[in-house]
């Protein structure tokens, strides 16, 4: 430190902490620099007092620099603060929101042992300043950790996709793989789970006499940061770690506003799950555990089958007599959904009987009149795909081969016989294109 007559490198926080904290370390450093006076000025002789006054200014300057360094070292090792409106402190303790025996719950969920922000940063391969940068909340920010764009929905409206940038995406992938994907999920959930898909979700309702479909309104925005934090605390994680993880997995919706030569990202609502983050699907499935449990119980009571794919709730009755329970089903679903902190998109509720086309997550589930898979891609969609392949074969179209292959693979998943033929046609097109 310039002007202190001591060229020793200043220590990191662990050494400062081992000295007894900031003030104790500052005193030790002042003594090492012969800038510390043990006796008070009033007890000094005139000569000692004169010498003391001569070094007092230097002592003040060095003390200020030492404290500045110590505080910087502390911030390098502690999060300290994570933004306005976020309750966080670095001291790990026990409070009234802790579940009984969190260690046992953590072990039951097979979660890694992470007891502090420092341990979390190490697991994520981040420094504390990097972790603070990714987790910090600002109502108005000059940057964002997400790339955002809009895609059209089937109803003509637009859906916001928020894809995390590389640094945050890597952290979220670790969180998903090691934490959120290990949390318990109900058997009625079919979205974003290994071995389950739109096909398994639809096949559960194949040949139904009566199909009743519900949609949850603003599904991802409804799952706010406090709900995510509560989920993680119930999983056995402590207050500090759960807070940081919840911040890493959520973000506020934002308006982009030009201010002078800068762009400001202004929060327009509370932090919630972004659609496009690797952690969002597994968090929704875990958070909906009690919702799925209660809706499955209602379905069993009324004699029907229940499944959920993300925000799509589907119930089916195997016989026409089930129609007499539709009123009770609707009122029961509305009550449970509200109790669990969600809301129904009532205008999207559909009752479909076997006499008309019944679709579940885009697949037709009517009992086929001929031998056919129980859940299949609609005939009109297959015809459009065949037409697109034919037009490409005739040179009348330059349709994207990857897109055609994806659609053919989707048909193959539900109907191997028809799908195999379509995949072979696309493969021939690809071979001709590369030759």
């Amino acid at each position: 430190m310039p002007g202190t007559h001591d060229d020793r490198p200043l220590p990191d926080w662990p050494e400062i902490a081992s000295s007894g904290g900031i003030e104790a370390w500052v005193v030790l450093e002042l003594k090492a620099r012969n800038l510390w006076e043990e006796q008070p000025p009033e007890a000094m002789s005139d000569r000692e007092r004169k010498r003391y006054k001569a070094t007092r200014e230097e002592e003040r300057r060095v003390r200020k620099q030492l404290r500045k360094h110590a505080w910087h070292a502390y911030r390098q090792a502690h999060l300290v603060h994570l933004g306005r409106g976020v309750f966080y402190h670095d001291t790990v303790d026990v409070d009234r929101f802790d579940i009984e025996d969190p260690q046992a719950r953590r072990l039951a969920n097979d979660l890694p042992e992470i007891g502090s922000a420092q341990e979390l940063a190490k697991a994520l391969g981040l420094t504390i300043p990097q972790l603070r940068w990714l987790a910090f909340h600002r109502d108005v920010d000059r940057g964002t950790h997400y790339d955002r764009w809009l895609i059209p929905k089937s109803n003509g409206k637009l859906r916001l996709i928020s894809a995390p940038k590389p640094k945050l995406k890597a952290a979220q992938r670790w969180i998903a793989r090691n934490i959120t994907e290990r949390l318990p999920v109900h058997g009625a959930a079919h979205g974003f789970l290994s071995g389950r898909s739109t096909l398994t979700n639809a096949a559960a309702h194949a040949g139904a006499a009566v199909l009743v479909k519900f949609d949850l309104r603003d599904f991802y925005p409804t799952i706010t940061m406090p709900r995510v934090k509560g989920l993680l605390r119930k999983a056995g994680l402590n207050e500090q770690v759960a807070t940081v993880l919840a911040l890493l997995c959520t973000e506020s919706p934002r308006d982009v506003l030009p201010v002078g030569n800068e762009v400001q990202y202004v929060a327009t609502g509370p932090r919630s799950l972004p659609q496009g983050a690797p952690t969002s699907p597994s968090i929704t499935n875990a958070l909906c555990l009690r919702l799925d449990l209660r809706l499955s119980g209602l379905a069993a009571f009324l004699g029907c089958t229940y499944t959920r794919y993300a925000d799509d709730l589907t119930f089916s009755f195997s016989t026409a007599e089930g129609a007499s329970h539709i009123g009770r089903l609707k009122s029961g679903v509305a009550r449970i959904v509200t109790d669990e902190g969600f809301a129904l998109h009532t205008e999207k509720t559909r009752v479909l009987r076997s006499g008309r086309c019944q679709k579940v997550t885009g697949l037709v589930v009517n009992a086929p009149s001929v031998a056919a898979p129980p859940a299949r891609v609609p005939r009109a969609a297959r015809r459009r795909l065949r037409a697109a392949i034919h037009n490409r074969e005739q040179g009348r179209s330059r349709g994207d081969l990857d897109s055609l292959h994806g659609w053919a693979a989707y048909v193959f998943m539900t109907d191997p016989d028809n799908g195999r033929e379509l995949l072979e046609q696309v493969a021939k097109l690809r071979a001709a294109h590369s030759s």
Side-chain angles (χ1 to χ4, degrees):
M1 182 175 296
T4 61
H5 310 295
D6 193 326
D7 295 328
R8 294 177 303 158
L10 292 174
D12 292 332
W13 175 251
E15 185 176 337
I16 296 174
S18 67
S19 299
I22 292 177
E23 290 306 316
W25 174 76
V26 168
V27 170
L28 290 175
E29 288 295 314
L30 290 173
K31 288 179 178 179
R33 291 164 169 79
N34 294 318
L35 293 173
W36 178 259
E37 183 59 58
E38 294 287 352
Q39 58 180 329
E42 56 271 17
M44 298 178 183
S45 65
D46 290 342
R47 184 177 180 180
E48 289 172 333
R49 190 177 296 111
K50 185 176 181 180
R51 180 182 58 79
Y52 171 75
K53 289 180 178 179
T55 60
R56 179 62 172 159
E57 192 62 32
E58 175 73 356
E59 185 267 340
R60 286 176 176 171
R61 186 185 67 79
V62 173
R63 180 189 291 270
K64 182 178 179 180
Q65 290 184 340
L66 290 170
R67 282 176 172 165
K68 182 178 179 180
H69 168 79
W71 177 242
H72 175 75
Y74 183 88
R75 284 179 58 83
Q76 292 297 111
H78 300 83
L79 293 178
V80 184
H81 178 57
L82 290 174
R84 181 180 178 183
V86 177
F87 175 76
Y88 180 84
H89 59 89
D90 282 297
T91 305
V92 177
D93 57 10
V94 177
D95 65 34
R96 62 190 180 90
F97 294 106
D98 284 326
I99 62 171
E100 185 177 348
D101 199 356
Q103 179 79 348
R105 184 72 60 84
R106 182 187 64 77
L107 292 173
N109 289 324
D110 192 27
L111 302 185
E113 186 173 357
I114 299 175
S116 66
Q118 291 75 15
E119 292 175 6
L120 176 61
K122 183 177 180 181
L124 294 173
L126 300 170
T127 64
I128 285 293
Q130 287 174 329
L131 182 61
R132 185 191 305 113
W133 173 63
L134 291 175
F136 202 93
H137 171 77
R138 291 182 177 89
D139 289 331
V140 180
D141 208 342
R142 290 180 295 178
T144 174
H145 294 297
Y146 290 85
D147 291 317
R148 294 176 169 85
W149 65 89
L150 297 170
I151 61 172
K153 299 168 66 175
S154 58
N155 59 7
K157 296 182 179 181
L158 296 175
R159 184 191 308 277
L160 175 66
I161 301 298
S162 301
K165 294 178 180 178
K167 201 78 172 179
L168 179 58
K169 181 183 287 187
Q172 289 178 343
R173 282 177 171 167
W174 187 94
I175 295 167
R177 184 171 59 252
N178 293 279
I179 296 178
T180 58
E181 290 178 358
R182 298 185 180 188
L183 302 179
V185 174
H186 195 276
H190 287 259
F192 318 108
L193 292 165
S194 177
R196 301 187 189 183
S197 62
T198 55
L199 175 59
T200 61
N201 183 63
H205 306 282
V210 182
L211 199 67
V212 187
K213 299 165 61 177
F214 301 88
D215 183 86
L216 299 178
R217 182 189 295 274
D218 298 330
F219 185 50
Y220 281 91
T222 302
I223 303 177
T224 56
M225 181 200 150
R227 298 183 72 175
V228 177
K229 178 180 174 180
L231 170 73
L232 296 172
R233 297 205 66 185
K234 289 180 181 177
L237 300 177
N238 68 31
E239 163 78 25
Q240 286 71 24
V241 173
T243 299
V244 178
L245 288 173
L247 285 166
L248 291 172
C249 296
T250 58
E251 169 63 326
S252 293
R254 294 182 182 270
D255 281 343
V256 182
L257 301 177
V259 179
N261 295 326
E262 290 187 339
V263 173
Q264 301 283 355
Y265 296 83
V266 182
T268 58
R271 295 182 74 97
S272 59
L273 292 183
Q275 190 156 358
T279 44
S280 293
S282 52
I283 290 174
T284 60
N285 279 333
L287 196 68
C288 286
L289 175 61
R290 196 169 72 168
L291 172 72
D292 292 334
L293 182 65
R294 293 183 66 184
L295 291 178
S296 293
L298 175 65
F301 178 74
L302 297 177
C304 59
T305 299
Y306 162 71
T307 64
R308 181 182 59 80
Y309 191 97
D311 55 354
D312 293 326
L313 316 178
T314 307
F315 297 80
S316 61
F317 295 91
S318 58
T319 63
E321 287 73 21
S324 62
H325 298 303
I326 290 176
R328 297 172 70 187
L329 175 65
K330 286 184 175 180
S331 62
V333 170
R335 183 183 67 256
I336 292 171
V337 165
T338 302
D339 286 349
E340 294 302 319
F342 297 99
L344 285 177
H345 221 308
T346 52
E347 57 269 33
K348 289 189 176 182
T349 300
R350 297 286 184 272
V351 178
L352 305 172
R353 291 172 172 79
S354 57
R356 58 183 295 193
C357 180
Q358 297 173 314
K359 289 184 192 177
V360 177
T361 45
L363 299 175
V364 176
V365 296
N366 296 78
S369 55
V370 294
R376 53 215 177 267
V377 175
R379 186 181 293 112
R382 297 201 305 272
R383 286 175 176 169
R384 288 196 298 271
L385 176 57
R386 290 184 186 278
I389 292 174
H390 179 72
N391 288 336
R392 179 68 190 245
E393 289 173 337
Q394 299 301 312
R396 294 195 293 266
S397 167
R398 298 182 62 82
D400 180 63
L401 289 174
D402 290 336
S403 178
L404 293 178
H405 181 271
W407 272 103
Y410 186 60
V411 173
F412 179 79
M413 180 184 74
T414 65
D415 186 350
D417 292 336
N418 283 313
R420 187 177 296 107
E421 177 187 350
L422 293 169
L423 283 172
E424 290 172 355
Q425 290 178 289
V426 175
K428 290 179 181 178
L429 287 173
R430 197 183 291 277
H433 177 73
S434 61
S435 62

PDB file of all heavy atoms in Angstrom, residues 78-102:
ATOM      1  N   HIS A  78     -18.344 -12.603  -0.105  1.00  0.00           N
ATOM      2  CA  HIS A  78     -19.731 -12.610   0.363  1.00  0.00           C
ATOM      3  C   HIS A  78     -20.621 -11.872  -0.629  1.00  0.00           C
ATOM      4  O   HIS A  78     -20.187 -10.916  -1.277  1.00  0.00           O
ATOM      5  CB  HIS A  78     -19.848 -11.932   1.739  1.00  0.00           C
ATOM      6  CG  HIS A  78     -19.049 -12.589   2.811  1.00  0.00           C
ATOM      7  ND1 HIS A  78     -17.703 -12.340   2.998  1.00  0.00           N
ATOM      8  CD2 HIS A  78     -19.411 -13.494   3.767  1.00  0.00           C
ATOM      9  CE1 HIS A  78     -17.265 -13.069   4.010  1.00  0.00           C
ATOM     10  NE2 HIS A  78     -18.275 -13.775   4.500  1.00  0.00           N
ATOM     11  N   LEU A  79     -21.875 -12.296  -0.720  1.00  0.00           N
ATOM     12  CA  LEU A  79     -22.816 -11.630  -1.625  1.00  0.00           C
ATOM     13  C   LEU A  79     -23.266 -10.276  -1.083  1.00  0.00           C
ATOM     14  O   LEU A  79     -23.526  -9.356  -1.840  1.00  0.00           O
ATOM     15  CB  LEU A  79     -24.040 -12.522  -1.857  1.00  0.00           C
ATOM     16  CG  LEU A  79     -23.755 -13.817  -2.635  1.00  0.00           C
ATOM     17  CD1 LEU A  79     -25.018 -14.640  -2.755  1.00  0.00           C
ATOM     18  CD2 LEU A  79     -23.197 -13.506  -4.015  1.00  0.00           C
ATOM     19  N   VAL A  80     -23.408 -10.154   0.216  1.00  0.00           N
ATOM     20  CA  VAL A  80     -23.747  -8.913   0.926  1.00  0.00           C
ATOM     21  C   VAL A  80     -25.176  -8.466   0.646  1.00  0.00           C
ATOM     22  O   VAL A  80     -26.006  -8.367   1.541  1.00  0.00           O
ATOM     23  CB  VAL A  80     -22.766  -7.769   0.594  1.00  0.00           C
ATOM     24  CG1 VAL A  80     -23.102  -6.528   1.425  1.00  0.00           C
ATOM     25  CG2 VAL A  80     -21.329  -8.212   0.845  1.00  0.00           C
ATOM     26  N   HIS A  81     -25.480  -8.164  -0.622  1.00  0.00           N
ATOM     27  CA  HIS A  81     -26.781  -7.591  -0.976  1.00  0.00           C
ATOM     28  C   HIS A  81     -27.142  -8.059  -2.380  1.00  0.00           C
ATOM     29  O   HIS A  81     -26.262  -8.147  -3.248  1.00  0.00           O
ATOM     30  CB  HIS A  81     -26.700  -6.059  -0.918  1.00  0.00           C
ATOM     31  CG  HIS A  81     -27.965  -5.355  -1.299  1.00  0.00           C
ATOM     32  ND1 HIS A  81     -29.164  -5.580  -0.666  1.00  0.00           N
ATOM     33  CD2 HIS A  81     -28.221  -4.419  -2.255  1.00  0.00           C
ATOM     34  CE1 HIS A  81     -30.100  -4.813  -1.214  1.00  0.00           C
ATOM     35  NE2 HIS A  81     -29.547  -4.102  -2.184  1.00  0.00           N
ATOM     36  N   LEU A  82     -28.421  -8.368  -2.626  1.00  0.00           N
ATOM     37  CA  LEU A  82     -28.830  -8.895  -3.932  1.00  0.00           C
ATOM     38  C   LEU A  82     -29.926  -8.075  -4.582  1.00  0.00           C
ATOM     39  O   LEU A  82     -30.624  -8.578  -5.466  1.00  0.00           O
ATOM     40  CB  LEU A  82     -29.284 -10.358  -3.770  1.00  0.00           C
ATOM     41  CG  LEU A  82     -28.155 -11.336  -3.468  1.00  0.00           C
ATOM     42  CD1 LEU A  82     -28.690 -12.722  -3.170  1.00  0.00           C
ATOM     43  CD2 LEU A  82     -27.160 -11.386  -4.636  1.00  0.00           C
ATOM     44  N   GLY A  83     -30.074  -6.849  -4.156  1.00  0.00           N
ATOM     45  CA  GLY A  83     -31.009  -5.986  -4.845  1.00  0.00           C
ATOM     46  C   GLY A  83     -32.147  -5.504  -3.974  1.00  0.00           C
ATOM     47  O   GLY A  83     -32.490  -6.113  -2.956  1.00  0.00           O
ATOM     48  N   ARG A  84     -32.741  -4.413  -4.420  1.00  0.00           N
ATOM     49  CA  ARG A  84     -33.859  -3.823  -3.693  1.00  0.00           C
ATOM     50  C   ARG A  84     -35.039  -4.783  -3.658  1.00  0.00           C
ATOM     51  O   ARG A  84     -35.421  -5.372  -4.670  1.00  0.00           O
ATOM     52  CB  ARG A  84     -34.274  -2.519  -4.381  1.00  0.00           C
ATOM     53  CG  ARG A  84     -35.407  -1.795  -3.700  1.00  0.00           C
ATOM     54  CD  ARG A  84     -35.741  -0.516  -4.450  1.00  0.00           C
ATOM     55  NE  ARG A  84     -36.857   0.169  -3.829  1.00  0.00           N
ATOM     56  CZ  ARG A  84     -37.398   1.278  -4.318  1.00  0.00           C
ATOM     57  NH1 ARG A  84     -36.912   1.815  -5.437  1.00  0.00           N
ATOM     58  NH2 ARG A  84     -38.411   1.847  -3.704  1.00  0.00           N
ATOM     59  N   GLY A  85     -35.612  -4.948  -2.484  1.00  0.00           N
ATOM     60  CA  GLY A  85     -36.770  -5.815  -2.328  1.00  0.00           C
ATOM     61  C   GLY A  85     -36.432  -7.277  -2.122  1.00  0.00           C
ATOM     62  O   GLY A  85     -37.327  -8.102  -1.952  1.00  0.00           O
ATOM     63  N   VAL A  86     -35.135  -7.617  -2.127  1.00  0.00           N
ATOM     64  CA  VAL A  86     -34.712  -9.005  -1.922  1.00  0.00           C
ATOM     65  C   VAL A  86     -34.155  -9.145  -0.511  1.00  0.00           C
ATOM     66  O   VAL A  86     -33.180  -8.478  -0.154  1.00  0.00           O
ATOM     67  CB  VAL A  86     -33.639  -9.423  -2.949  1.00  0.00           C
ATOM     68  CG1 VAL A  86     -33.167 -10.851  -2.662  1.00  0.00           C
ATOM     69  CG2 VAL A  86     -34.171  -9.300  -4.360  1.00  0.00           C
ATOM     70  N   PHE A  87     -34.780 -10.009   0.294  1.00  0.00           N
ATOM     71  CA  PHE A  87     -34.267 -10.245   1.641  1.00  0.00           C
ATOM     72  C   PHE A  87     -33.134 -11.250   1.557  1.00  0.00           C
ATOM     73  O   PHE A  87     -33.312 -12.384   1.123  1.00  0.00           O
ATOM     74  CB  PHE A  87     -35.365 -10.779   2.562  1.00  0.00           C
ATOM     75  CG  PHE A  87     -34.852 -11.153   3.923  1.00  0.00           C
ATOM     76  CD1 PHE A  87     -34.552 -10.180   4.860  1.00  0.00           C
ATOM     77  CD2 PHE A  87     -34.642 -12.481   4.255  1.00  0.00           C
ATOM     78  CE1 PHE A  87     -34.059 -10.527   6.111  1.00  0.00           C
ATOM     79  CE2 PHE A  87     -34.146 -12.845   5.505  1.00  0.00           C
ATOM     80  CZ  PHE A  87     -33.860 -11.856   6.431  1.00  0.00           C
ATOM     81  N   TYR A  88     -31.942 -10.824   1.948  1.00  0.00           N
ATOM     82  CA  TYR A  88     -30.790 -11.717   1.937  1.00  0.00           C
ATOM     83  C   TYR A  88     -29.778 -11.248   2.964  1.00  0.00           C
ATOM     84  O   TYR A  88     -29.546 -10.046   3.135  1.00  0.00           O
ATOM     85  CB  TYR A  88     -30.114 -11.757   0.562  1.00  0.00           C
ATOM     86  CG  TYR A  88     -28.909 -12.675   0.550  1.00  0.00           C
ATOM     87  CD1 TYR A  88     -29.069 -14.038   0.355  1.00  0.00           C
ATOM     88  CD2 TYR A  88     -27.631 -12.185   0.798  1.00  0.00           C
ATOM     89  CE1 TYR A  88     -27.987 -14.890   0.406  1.00  0.00           C
ATOM     90  CE2 TYR A  88     -26.537 -13.027   0.846  1.00  0.00           C
ATOM     91  CZ  TYR A  88     -26.729 -14.384   0.660  1.00  0.00           C
ATOM     92  OH  TYR A  88     -25.648 -15.231   0.724  1.00  0.00           O
ATOM     93  N   HIS A  89     -29.180 -12.201   3.653  1.00  0.00           N
ATOM     94  CA  HIS A  89     -28.037 -11.911   4.515  1.00  0.00           C
ATOM     95  C   HIS A  89     -27.092 -13.099   4.436  1.00  0.00           C
ATOM     96  O   HIS A  89     -27.504 -14.223   4.130  1.00  0.00           O
ATOM     97  CB  HIS A  89     -28.473 -11.663   5.964  1.00  0.00           C
ATOM     98  CG  HIS A  89     -29.213 -12.807   6.596  1.00  0.00           C
ATOM     99  ND1 HIS A  89     -28.562 -13.819   7.259  1.00  0.00           N
ATOM    100  CD2 HIS A  89     -30.531 -13.105   6.644  1.00  0.00           C
ATOM    101  CE1 HIS A  89     -29.453 -14.693   7.696  1.00  0.00           C
ATOM    102  NE2 HIS A  89     -30.655 -14.292   7.342  1.00  0.00           N
ATOM    103  N   ASP A  90     -25.808 -12.845   4.680  1.00  0.00           N
ATOM    104  CA  ASP A  90     -24.781 -13.876   4.480  1.00  0.00           C
ATOM    105  C   ASP A  90     -24.641 -14.849   5.638  1.00  0.00           C
ATOM    106  O   ASP A  90     -23.949 -15.853   5.513  1.00  0.00           O
ATOM    107  CB  ASP A  90     -23.427 -13.214   4.223  1.00  0.00           C
ATOM    108  CG  ASP A  90     -23.307 -12.695   2.799  1.00  0.00           C
ATOM    109  OD1 ASP A  90     -23.360 -13.512   1.874  1.00  0.00           O
ATOM    110  OD2 ASP A  90     -23.180 -11.469   2.618  1.00  0.00           O
ATOM    111  N   THR A  91     -25.275 -14.564   6.753  1.00  0.00           N
ATOM    112  CA  THR A  91     -25.126 -15.427   7.926  1.00  0.00           C
ATOM    113  C   THR A  91     -26.123 -16.576   7.868  1.00  0.00           C
ATOM    114  O   THR A  91     -27.341 -16.352   7.877  1.00  0.00           O
ATOM    115  CB  THR A  91     -25.343 -14.631   9.222  1.00  0.00           C
ATOM    116  OG1 THR A  91     -24.451 -13.517   9.248  1.00  0.00           O
ATOM    117  CG2 THR A  91     -25.088 -15.511  10.435  1.00  0.00           C
ATOM    118  N   VAL A  92     -25.611 -17.783   7.785  1.00  0.00           N
ATOM    119  CA  VAL A  92     -26.471 -18.961   7.753  1.00  0.00           C
ATOM    120  C   VAL A  92     -27.028 -19.210   9.147  1.00  0.00           C
ATOM    121  O   VAL A  92     -26.274 -19.341  10.115  1.00  0.00           O
ATOM    122  CB  VAL A  92     -25.695 -20.204   7.267  1.00  0.00           C
ATOM    123  CG1 VAL A  92     -26.588 -21.435   7.298  1.00  0.00           C
ATOM    124  CG2 VAL A  92     -25.160 -19.960   5.856  1.00  0.00           C
ATOM    125  N   ASP A  93     -28.353 -19.229   9.243  1.00  0.00           N
ATOM    126  CA  ASP A  93     -28.974 -19.448  10.544  1.00  0.00           C
ATOM    127  C   ASP A  93     -30.262 -20.239  10.359  1.00  0.00           C
ATOM    128  O   ASP A  93     -30.570 -20.727   9.280  1.00  0.00           O
ATOM    129  CB  ASP A  93     -29.243 -18.108  11.245  1.00  0.00           C
ATOM    130  CG  ASP A  93     -30.117 -17.175  10.412  1.00  0.00           C
ATOM    131  OD1 ASP A  93     -30.665 -17.633   9.389  1.00  0.00           O
ATOM    132  OD2 ASP A  93     -30.240 -15.993  10.781  1.00  0.00           O
ATOM    133  N   VAL A  94     -31.011 -20.388  11.426  1.00  0.00           N
ATOM    134  CA  VAL A  94     -32.266 -21.128  11.413  1.00  0.00           C
ATOM    135  C   VAL A  94     -33.385 -20.138  11.680  1.00  0.00           C
ATOM    136  O   VAL A  94     -33.267 -19.279  12.558  1.00  0.00           O
ATOM    137  CB  VAL A  94     -32.268 -22.236  12.494  1.00  0.00           C
ATOM    138  CG1 VAL A  94     -33.607 -22.956  12.508  1.00  0.00           C
ATOM    139  CG2 VAL A  94     -31.128 -23.215  12.235  1.00  0.00           C
ATOM    140  N   ASP A  95     -34.477 -20.226  10.910  1.00  0.00           N
ATOM    141  CA  ASP A  95     -35.608 -19.349  11.175  1.00  0.00           C
ATOM    142  C   ASP A  95     -36.901 -20.151  11.170  1.00  0.00           C
ATOM    143  O   ASP A  95     -36.916 -21.356  10.918  1.00  0.00           O
ATOM    144  CB  ASP A  95     -35.650 -18.170  10.194  1.00  0.00           C
ATOM    145  CG  ASP A  95     -35.884 -18.606   8.756  1.00  0.00           C
ATOM    146  OD1 ASP A  95     -36.603 -19.593   8.528  1.00  0.00           O
ATOM    147  OD2 ASP A  95     -35.361 -17.944   7.848  1.00  0.00           O
ATOM    148  N   ARG A  96     -37.997 -19.460  11.391  1.00  0.00           N
ATOM    149  CA  ARG A  96     -39.271 -20.151  11.583  1.00  0.00           C
ATOM    150  C   ARG A  96     -39.819 -20.764  10.300  1.00  0.00           C
ATOM    151  O   ARG A  96     -40.745 -21.564  10.343  1.00  0.00           O
ATOM    152  CB  ARG A  96     -40.303 -19.174  12.155  1.00  0.00           C
ATOM    153  CG  ARG A  96     -40.640 -17.997  11.268  1.00  0.00           C
ATOM    154  CD  ARG A  96     -41.461 -16.968  12.010  1.00  0.00           C
ATOM    155  NE  ARG A  96     -41.811 -15.807  11.200  1.00  0.00           N
ATOM    156  CZ  ARG A  96     -42.900 -15.715  10.474  1.00  0.00           C
ATOM    157  NH1 ARG A  96     -43.760 -16.743  10.451  1.00  0.00           N
ATOM    158  NH2 ARG A  96     -43.158 -14.638   9.767  1.00  0.00           N
ATOM    159  N   PHE A  97     -39.253 -20.416   9.147  1.00  0.00           N
ATOM    160  CA  PHE A  97     -39.731 -20.986   7.891  1.00  0.00           C
ATOM    161  C   PHE A  97     -39.004 -22.277   7.525  1.00  0.00           C
ATOM    162  O   PHE A  97     -39.327 -22.914   6.532  1.00  0.00           O
ATOM    163  CB  PHE A  97     -39.578 -19.970   6.751  1.00  0.00           C
ATOM    164  CG  PHE A  97     -40.465 -18.769   6.908  1.00  0.00           C
ATOM    165  CD1 PHE A  97     -39.938 -17.543   7.278  1.00  0.00           C
ATOM    166  CD2 PHE A  97     -41.831 -18.863   6.697  1.00  0.00           C
ATOM    167  CE1 PHE A  97     -40.742 -16.435   7.425  1.00  0.00           C
ATOM    168  CE2 PHE A  97     -42.650 -17.755   6.840  1.00  0.00           C
ATOM    169  CZ  PHE A  97     -42.110 -16.537   7.208  1.00  0.00           C
ATOM    170  N   ASP A  98     -37.989 -22.638   8.298  1.00  0.00           N
ATOM    171  CA  ASP A  98     -37.273 -23.885   8.028  1.00  0.00           C
ATOM    172  C   ASP A  98     -38.180 -25.080   8.310  1.00  0.00           C
ATOM    173  O   ASP A  98     -38.929 -25.092   9.287  1.00  0.00           O
ATOM    174  CB  ASP A  98     -36.022 -23.991   8.907  1.00  0.00           C
ATOM    175  CG  ASP A  98     -34.895 -23.092   8.416  1.00  0.00           C
ATOM    176  OD1 ASP A  98     -34.780 -22.920   7.195  1.00  0.00           O
ATOM    177  OD2 ASP A  98     -34.149 -22.563   9.261  1.00  0.00           O
ATOM    178  N   ILE A  99     -38.109 -26.081   7.441  1.00  0.00           N
ATOM    179  CA  ILE A  99     -38.875 -27.303   7.685  1.00  0.00           C
ATOM    180  C   ILE A  99     -38.175 -28.122   8.761  1.00  0.00           C
ATOM    181  O   ILE A  99     -36.996 -27.917   9.059  1.00  0.00           O
ATOM    182  CB  ILE A  99     -39.008 -28.136   6.398  1.00  0.00           C
ATOM    183  CG1 ILE A  99     -37.614 -28.577   5.895  1.00  0.00           C
ATOM    184  CG2 ILE A  99     -39.746 -27.361   5.334  1.00  0.00           C
ATOM    185  CD1 ILE A  99     -37.681 -29.575   4.751  1.00  0.00           C
ATOM    186  N   GLU A 100     -38.894 -29.050   9.331  1.00  0.00           N
ATOM    187  CA  GLU A 100     -38.309 -29.930  10.332  1.00  0.00           C
ATOM    188  C   GLU A 100     -37.354 -30.911   9.662  1.00  0.00           C
ATOM    189  O   GLU A 100     -37.702 -31.554   8.669  1.00  0.00           O
ATOM    190  CB  GLU A 100     -39.422 -30.692  11.061  1.00  0.00           C
ATOM    191  CG  GLU A 100     -38.922 -31.552  12.204  1.00  0.00           C
ATOM    192  CD  GLU A 100     -40.053 -32.231  12.956  1.00  0.00           C
ATOM    193  OE1 GLU A 100     -41.212 -31.850  12.721  1.00  0.00           O
ATOM    194  OE2 GLU A 100     -39.758 -33.137  13.763  1.00  0.00           O
ATOM    195  N   ASP A 101     -36.157 -30.984  10.153  1.00  0.00           N
ATOM    196  CA  ASP A 101     -35.117 -31.868   9.652  1.00  0.00           C
ATOM    197  C   ASP A 101     -34.873 -31.669   8.145  1.00  0.00           C
ATOM    198  O   ASP A 101     -35.093 -32.568   7.325  1.00  0.00           O
ATOM    199  CB  ASP A 101     -35.479 -33.334   9.916  1.00  0.00           C
ATOM    200  CG  ASP A 101     -34.261 -34.248   9.838  1.00  0.00           C
ATOM    201  OD1 ASP A 101     -33.164 -33.752   9.508  1.00  0.00           O
ATOM    202  OD2 ASP A 101     -34.423 -35.457  10.094  1.00  0.00           O
ATOM    203  N   PRO A 102     -34.410 -30.481   7.736  1.00  0.00           N
ATOM    204  CA  PRO A 102     -34.139 -30.235   6.319  1.00  0.00           C
ATOM    205  C   PRO A 102     -33.066 -31.152   5.742  1.00  0.00           C
ATOM    206  O   PRO A 102     -33.089 -31.468   4.558  1.00  0.00           O
ATOM    207  CB  PRO A 102     -33.686 -28.765   6.297  1.00  0.00           C
ATOM    208  CG  PRO A 102     -33.234 -28.475   7.693  1.00  0.00           C
ATOM    209  CD  PRO A 102     -34.085 -29.320   8.578  1.00  0.00           C
TER     210      PRO A 102
END
